[in-house]
Structures are given as C-alpha cells and as structure tokens.
Amino acid sequence: FIIGGSGPRRVLIRAVGPGIARFGVASPLANPTLSLWRDGTLIGANDDYSTGTNVDTTLSQLFATVGAFPLTLGSRDAALAVELEPGSYTALIRGSTATETGEVLLEVYFLN
C-alpha cells in the first residue's frame, strides 16, 4: 500500500484470521503474524495483538474509532498502529508455522 501526501500518517493495520470465522469463513488462518516493511527494512511487527510482549493496549479502542469490527481479547489475530512517512509499504502476513495455511483479511485504516 502507499501513503501519499507530504507528511506522516498514523495507520492501523490488521491481519485477521480467527476473527473472520464468525463471518462464515470456513478456513481462516489460525495464527497470522504481521510484519510491515519499507524498502527491505522492517518497520514493525505483531503476533497476537492483545497478548505477549510489546502489546499496544490502545488497539481495541482504535478498532472502534475507525469502525472496524472488534477482535476477541486473547485471539491470535495481529494488529499494529504506526506512524508512516509518505511512500510504499509491504504488509507481510504469515502463519505461525511454515505449513500453516488459511484465509486472512488484511485491513489498513488511516487514523489521522
């Protein structure tokens, strides 16, 4: 995805696997991990948005702010909020293992 304009934008990015099962998706990715890249440089990453190390406790509030459906606390969905300069970015989503497969929803929201 591309951030346009002349100044930085705060962005919410979600990789939703388990959270889409309730919408009838038959084979969601059980444990998506999300990493954000720009020009070969890792900008940020997340696995299990509400547990583990470096948890952003504001994410659930941000979901509501942008009108995104809520994710269950403790789910294995991934999300991150970052401030990005104008340019192109790559959001990479993987399963927790090399053989894990399934469907995943990638969402990108502008927060400002």
Side-chain angles (χ1 to χ4, degrees), residues 50-81:
S50 66
T51 60
T53 58
N54 300 322
V55 170
D56 182 343
T57 58
T58 67
L59 286 172
S60 291
Q61 180 181 347
L62 293 176
F63 301 164
T65 299
V66 298
F69 61 88
L71 300 177
T72 303
L73 287 176
S75 78
R76 294 185 158 194
D77 298 297
L80 60 112

Side-chain angles (χ1 to χ4, degrees), residues 84-110:
L84 301 175
E85 294 294 329
S88 25
Y89 295 86
T90 300
L92 178 63
I93 303 167
R94 295 183 179 172
S96 62
T97 67
T99 59
E100 183 181 357
T101 62
E103 297 180 57
V104 64
L105 173 65
L106 173 65
E107 300 173 310
V108 180
Y109 299 94
F110 289 120

Side-chain angles (χ1 to χ4, degrees), residues 1-64:
F1 62 93
I2 296 173
I3 304 292
S6 59
R9 300 285 306 260
R10 188 155 165 79
V11 177
L12 170 66
I13 306 165
R14 303 193 327 167
V16 185
I20 59 174
R22 67 179 166 225
F23 298 106
V25 175
S27 58
L29 187 63
N31 189 7
T33 61
L34 171 64
S35 58
L36 180 63
W37 298 81
R38 181 173 186 196
D39 297 328
T41 301
L42 180 65
I43 304 295
N46 181 258
D47 181 22
D48 305 342
Y49 88 97
S50 66
T51 60
T53 58
N54 300 322
V55 170
D56 182 343
T57 58
T58 67
L59 286 172
S60 291
Q61 180 181 347
L62 293 176
F63 301 164

